[in-house]
Amino acid sequence: MLRTILLGPPGAGKGTQAVKIVEKYNIPHISTGDIFRENIKNETELGNRAKAYMDRGELVPDELVVEIATDRLTKDDCKNGFLLDGFPRTIFQAEKLDEFLAQRGEKIDKVINIDVEKDALVKRITGRRVCKSCGASYHVVNIPPKKDGVCDLCNGELIQRADDTEETVLNRIDVYNKQTKPLVDYYDKAGVIINIDGNKDLDDVLADIVKGLGK
């Protein structure tokens, strides 16, 4: 049984580590973005309510985010635990999640906080390239294509996504620090935080996570 949350700024490698964690512990990876897309696609009542806000260019209110996320945690595949990614984002959401779990006689076991230096985050994200045709991902330093600007798989053009420019990245990191970083203190006080040095190699980061989870 492992109920855990994954925290970390944009570019910290949460997606990469999430895949390895859910595989090792055989628990579902619950990404807020995926839940929203699924509810909207299936035109559920919750999805329609969220879409109404998004269509107006407004942020989905905390209360509705909590409702959508906790609804997902009632599904059968979460009986033996879960890995939450992208939720909670605020103290309010964290408190509501705790209340929801307490009503079920459950609690968060551990919170994985992947910490990476700001300069490293900027280099990681601004170096990302995506194939315009097949969507394959590359990095100008870490995973370069064989031919500059050309996809190895389909010879498609490699582009930098609009949200991967330095200005946008710095803004995203700033938003994270203001909105989500307080969660680190919240879970630290609860005694469940595991601080992980995300500047290390991917395998070393995973080894530190497994050691921290103690399972």
Side-chain angles (χ1 to χ4, degrees), residues 56-205:
R56 293 196 297 268
E58 298 173 14
L59 287 174
V60 179
D62 267 356
E63 291 87 349
L64 184 52
V65 173
V66 170
E67 209 175 331
I68 289 173
T70 53
D71 174 70
R72 175 65 181 86
L73 296 180
T74 63
K75 308 302 181 198
D76 284 347
D77 63 342
C78 294
K79 280 181 180 175
N80 294 319
F82 49 77
L83 174 69
L84 280 170
D85 179 6
F87 175 84
R89 283 186 188 274
T90 64
I91 299 293
F92 175 87
Q93 291 179 11
E95 290 171 343
K96 290 299 179 185
L97 173 62
D98 284 346
E99 287 174 19
F100 167 80
L101 292 173
Q103 287 167 2
R104 297 165 61 88
E106 301 169 356
K107 64 181 178 62
I108 292 296
D109 299 308
K110 296 286 183 182
V111 175
I112 304 158
N113 176 46
I114 302 178
D115 196 28
V116 181
E117 293 169 2
K118 191 183 212 176
D119 289 349
L121 291 172
V122 173
K123 283 179 184 175
R124 283 184 189 182
I125 301 176
T126 56
R128 291 195 301 209
R129 297 293 182 271
V130 180
C131 177
K132 205 172 177 180
S133 302
C134 73
S137 297
Y138 297 87
H139 191 280
V140 292
V141 177
N142 303 331
I143 318 169
K146 291 172 184 171
K147 187 178 177 184
D148 190 33
V150 179
C151 177
D152 294 349
L153 302 176
C154 71
N155 291 322
E157 179 191 357
L158 298 185
I159 59 167
Q160 182 183 49
R161 295 188 319 194
D163 57 350
D164 282 350
T165 62
E166 185 169 350
E167 184 183 356
T168 309
V169 170
L170 288 171
N171 183 56
R172 284 163 62 197
I173 294 170
D174 189 45
V175 168
Y176 172 82
N177 287 336
K178 286 177 181 172
Q179 188 183 60
T180 310
K181 209 170 182 182
L183 287 172
V184 176
D185 294 331
Y186 177 85
Y187 287 115
D188 191 26
K189 286 173 186 169
V192 294
I193 201 88
I194 310 168
N195 288 308
I196 301 293
D197 182 358
N199 297 294
K200 297 181 180 180
D201 289 338
L202 293 175
D203 290 342
D204 291 336
V205 172

